[in-house]
Amino acid sequence: GVSCTRLDFETQKTYTAVITAKDHIGSNKADKGASSTCLVTINIVDENEAPVCSVGVERAFDEHSPPNTLVGNSLAADVAKGILSTCTDEDAGDTTKLKYYLKSSRFKSGQSSADDETLATLGSQLRNFKIDDPLVGQISTTESELNFEDLFTRFDQTWVDVVVTVVDPASLRVDLPVRLNLNNVNDAPLLDPP
């Protein structure tokens, strides 16, 4: 079988081929088998590729978290903390320039609820979550506090699924699903007055 290789600028920018043409036709024996060879250089043009993201991305945070609590690690790389980027872009230097924006949240897997949200404008914040710096992609809590028991009672689950739109410098984008798990914290008992 014949093997084909995808021509990719990031792998190799130029290819060289030797082309030989042979003459197999002719009435004169001397003409048969005559050939000519030339060297051809093929230059590959770079195309912008969209970012590629990890699958099954999850973050966790405690219930009753105050505003601005970080929800797990950032989505972008943080070399100082040893955190790898959740998304990469094979175009030279683009991975460090990816921007992360919250797009939507869903409170009930596979079903719609009144608490679901979809943002019309990238860069806005959701009711319960926000990303302050798109280049860092750190999800944090807002003023709206989430309660583990309330989430479980209302939706029979203890997580919120959000969609983060990841945009490269040339404006190619991809949606990254992220599951935000809410950790149960031991609540202080409440006394009911007699």
Side-chain angles (χ1 to χ4, degrees):
V2 175
S3 173
C4 293
T5 301
R6 179 178 171 248
L7 301 180
D8 182 28
F9 181 85
E10 282 75 22
T11 305
Q12 188 170 337
K13 293 171 180 47
T14 62
Y15 292 83
T16 304
V18 176
I19 309 287
T20 302
K22 285 190 171 187
D23 184 3
H24 295 285
I25 301 176
S27 57
N28 186 342
K29 190 173 183 179
D31 290 342
K32 289 186 179 181
S35 66
S36 180
T37 301
C38 68
L39 191 63
V40 176
T41 300
I42 302 168
N43 294 313
I44 307 302
V45 177
D46 190 18
E47 279 193 19
N48 185 44
E49 287 89 7
V52 176
C53 299
S54 301
V55 177
V57 176
E58 294 189 26
R59 299 292 187 263
F61 66 107
D62 292 340
E63 68 173 327
H64 308 299
S65 292
N68 302 312
T69 297
L70 304 182
V71 180
N73 292 329
S74 64
L75 298 171
D78 186 335
V79 177
K81 294 180 181 176
I83 298 169
L84 299 176
S85 183
T86 305
C87 301
T88 58
D89 194 314
E90 67 180 279
D91 295 303
D94 279 5
T95 296
T96 59
K97 297 174 187 168
L98 295 177
K99 293 184 179 180
Y100 300 82
Y101 300 99
L102 285 169
K103 178 180 179 182
S104 64
S105 64
R106 179 167 291 244
F107 281 79
K108 181 71 175 165
S109 286
Q111 298 177 24
S112 296
S113 81
D115 292 301
D116 292 350
E117 246 182 309
T118 299
L119 296 174
T121 307
L122 290 181
S124 302
Q125 74 177 32
L126 297 169
R127 186 172 31 255
N128 299 101
F129 305 101
K130 63 182 179 172
I131 292 178
D132 288 325
D133 184 347
L135 285 170
V136 175
Q138 177 64 62
I139 300 172
S140 60
T141 58
T142 63
E143 302 293 327
S144 299
E145 185 179 289
L146 289 174
N147 179 294
F148 182 91
E149 290 77 17
D150 180 53
L151 201 61
F152 185 75
T153 301
R154 290 176 64 204
F155 303 111
D156 196 32
Q157 65 189 39
T158 56
W159 66 83
V160 179
D161 288 328
V162 297
V163 174
V164 176
T165 297
V166 184
V167 183
D168 78 1
S171 297
L172 285 181
R173 55 185 67 202
V174 65
D175 285 343
L176 167 66
V178 180
R179 176 157 288 174
L180 306 178
N181 295 301
L182 188 59
N183 298 325
N184 192 15
V185 174
N186 189 17
D187 296 317
L190 296 173
L191 296 175
D192 288 330

